[in-house]
Amino acid sequence: MTVIAFILRRCMLLVLVLIAVSVLTFAIVNVLPGDVATAVLGDMATPQMVEAVRERMGLGQPLPDRYFAWVAGILHGDFGRSLQHGQAIAPMLLGRLGNSAILGGITLAIAAPLSILLGVLAALRPGGVMDRVISGFAVGTHALPEYVIGLLAILAFSIWLPLLPGSSLMDPNENPLSRPEALILPIGVLVIGMLAIISQVTRVGMIQALASPYVRTATLKGLPRWKVVMKHALPNVLPPTVTEIGMYFGYVIGGLVVVETLFSYAGIGQMMTNAVSYRDIPTIQAGVLVVAAAYGIGNLCADVAALVLNPRLRG
Amino acid sequence: MNAEPQAIAEDTMPAFSSEPTLEVIGVSITYGSDAGGLKAVRDVSFRIAPGEAYGLIGESGSGKSSLAYAVLRHVPAGRVTGRIMLRGQDVMEMSPQALAAARGRIVSMVYQDPMSALNPAIKVGEQIAEVVRRHRKADRKAAWARAVTLLGQVQLPHPDEIAHRYPHQLSGGQQQRVVIAMGLACDPDLLVMDEPTTGLDVTTEAVILDLVNDLRRALGVAVLFISHNMGVVAQVCDRVGVLYAGQLVEEGSTAQVLRAPRHPYTIGLMNALPTINRAQARLADIPGRLPDLRQVPEACVFAPRCASVQKGCTTAIPALETVGPGHRTRCFERDRIVRAMAPPAEAEAVAEEATGKPLLQIVGVERSFGRMPRLNLPFLRQRRPVRAVDDVTLDIPRGRTLAVVGESGSGKSTLARCVAGLLPPNAGDILLEDSVIRPMVQNRTRPEQRAIQFIFQNPDAALNPHWTVEAIVGRPLKLHGLAHWSADLRARVVELLDAVKLGQRYLDRYPHQLSGGEKQRVSIARAFAAEPRLVICDEPTSALDISVQAAILNQLRDLQERHGTSYLFISHDLGVVRHIAHRVAIMRHGRIVESGTPAEVFGAPQHPYTQALIAAIPTLERKRRGAEPDTTRIMA
């Protein structure tokens, strides 16, 4: 089985998953008690207004027809219109997705190598000073919710020490990269949140690997310690770590609800929060689908990376 | 290869005039704190001349592996005292840099389990080449070329292609060749081999031993060879040291020690060894167990188990005394003991054919693993089914033992599991006293369940660690309603424990408080508690030491004679089978290739595979097979 065949097979599975997700989101939203139009307009709506909205949303047609019309639209890049803003969802979604990708991408690029490094350092002497500091920090931060860390960060770095902006609010057309100082705090909070699990997964794997017979072989070949750790132990430790990172990929794309809201960052998580409070159903559906795709692609990347790292899986 | 070829005549000792490659002087290894520490190795001294092969024989707990790793100063949990001189330099005194420079260049290691010793994530060629780069300052290309050359030297076919493979893509024998090539990469002076063939099949083992001999002759590398198998040591080593409980008890040339041993322990080991040449009625086991190495008495450490023990043996530690040229033994009674060889009489009480109907019949049993997916979807993985057992028909006579022999992957354990009802066969029937029984054990009737019991290979995994011996052995008694009141139950359990020579004092013990042999005795007692008609023994002694194995095999024979129980005995060890079987079936690739009485099968094997198996057994006499080092052989 080659890697290409594996990727193709997984892509097909990903498509199946997305179809299932689209059916589920569509079904849940439309099966919910109460008419969608009523839900949108609220209690004060007159029957005429409800009828008008129903007409506009095509709610009169049978469910399967509406589902296929929706899917056909998505395949043409049309996610429908936002009920809240009245404009097409696709361009807005794209912009938000880009913002989230910038935030998440930078977070991953910092957190993944950093947490692997910390995990390896902690594993070199289990129970040593380094291990206690790193693991203590990991466990401590993991016990704190993101918003606590975020609020503490704002308190410390933009109120007590007014170094960084406490809000990352920007113009809709502004590129976040043009204001890097506004990104530092949200990224810092996210990185700290990710360090805990990834570094501990790496640490446990590394302790096991360092006790393994093949590491003994490498040592008794006369190889220097750093080479034994980096070349012989690390590649065998990485697959579970990479899987863990892959899980975070979907999270940083679509799950940054707390951090984006806290810092008023115009990402997809914030968009979803707003859409939910305004009952903007087409936007919710589009958002869920995109986030599901991000999780799927993240896992796919992780599995491919694990395959590349672990020759045994390649067969 | 730039080492000058050095001819080593067999069975002659190399001259000691030159500086020894390795000299171990008064080495002790202690695990744990000083006072209550485990004194695993005590005051061991020996030397290995350049190009010499020295064998260290010992059972588990003898300290042989600790010594082997101490030569490379790799005893992470232990404390080593004494001197280990490698080409005149003390390994224990080396700086970390000097030590790292010596490892892989002056001394290198070959491991017991090549699969786990090789890094699963790195190509085997690179694993060899990196040693060359490390110690020879060679560039990548030259190092890779050297790796390919080495793979050719250990007689792997298409070495340039093998070099690009990962360990899991090679067979066990091929992996061990890679480990040997890795060890030889920088022309070391000494190769430490820690049970290098223990995990391999007997035919693969024979080929690897030949390879070691060929390479030794061609490269002149000295070898420290660790093994529990005296036959294997006899194939490779010039001189042999016997370790017992951390002490060297006997040392001499291979011929002296293995053919004319002068220490009661060595003699006991030789007599406990089942061989295919003699089918003596009883093996001579060594009673007792290893002493507690935390408190070693000022006495002969073997005295509690020794048959020739005298008063003086328990009051002073005997020294290693010379009894012949180069032959030393640590025994006060060295001049009075002689090897009491078990009579080679053909005490074959086996000869008479089983009469009457067989107890159990296996008729056309088939079992495959993995099956074709019903839907051939492009994203479903496709597996080819493997036929583990392929149309096997066998009879197990009443009160007799049928042994099924095969190498790993032959399907012998699968067959045992099918008979036991742990795995349903795909086809075929199992008949108990002429009536077909259900394939799965949970669907069989109580009497049928009771009639067939199982003894597993690994007693550690087969006993519930949370139960006492009484609960373990009493369970089948309660299950089958053989004892109702608790006093009655306890009496029966004691009776069973007595039958396996454990006795009442074991009732309240837990499995972790027992030695390997004791655990296996508990397994046997449990199997016999149900008063079975058939006991399936799946490699019951392969995890045990030779001296313990002998006792267990004797036990099984005694119980069979007393209760008329039939055995289905699964084994890879032809010596053990020769000793215990009344009928033998040789299994290969799921099929029975030959069957008959042991005398027929071992005396005049018909099938070429049986002949190859028998020829491959390492015996105490050194065999010579195709001697030229550059002969390319077919892969095992």
Side-chain angles (χ1 to χ4, degrees), chain A residues 210-275:
Chain A
L210 288 177
S212 70
Y214 57 79
V215 161
R216 181 187 62 194
T217 307
T219 308
L220 295 186
K221 279 174 179 178
L223 298 179
R225 179 77 173 158
W226 65 268
K227 198 155 200 177
V228 172
V229 173
M230 299 311 285
K231 182 176 172 183
H232 284 264
L234 194 58
N236 292 290
V237 173
L238 284 182
T241 308
V242 166
T243 309
E244 200 61 48
I245 294 172
M247 308 281 246
Y248 273 107
F249 186 85
Y251 167 72
V252 296
I253 297 301
L256 303 180
V257 179
V258 174
V259 170
E260 286 183 359
T261 312
L262 191 65
F263 290 96
S264 314
Y265 184 83
I268 203 166
Q270 194 203 31
M271 180 192 86
M272 298 273 284
T273 330
N274 290 340

Side-chain angles (χ1 to χ4, degrees), chain A residues 1 6 9-10 12-13 16 212-224 227 231-233 235-236 308-315, chain B residues 69 72 74 100-101 103-104 107-109 111 116-122 126-128 130-131 133-135 166 168-169 182 378-381:
Chain A
M1 183 182 67
F6 174 83
R9 191 157 52 220
R10 289 299 307 262
M12 275 190 265
L13 281 173
L16 286 182
S212 70
Y214 57 79
V215 161
R216 181 187 62 194
T217 307
T219 308
L220 295 186
K221 279 174 179 178
L223 298 179
K227 198 155 200 177
K231 182 176 172 183
H232 284 264
N236 292 290
V308 171
L309 287 167
N310 187 347
R312 272 166 299 186
L313 296 177
R314 294 204 289 270
Chain B
Y69 282 98
L72 287 94
H74 184 76
R103 288 171 170 172
V107 56
S108 54
M109 188 104 189
Y111 305 88
S116 64
L118 290 170
N119 194 316
I122 302 177
E126 169 59 18
Q127 297 195 44
I128 299 170
E130 71 175 342
V131 195
R133 291 204 305 273
R134 163 77 176 93
H135 294 296
Y166 290 94
H168 72 278
Q169 295 167 322
M182 200 162 78
F379 46 83
L380 284 181
R381 188 193 286 244

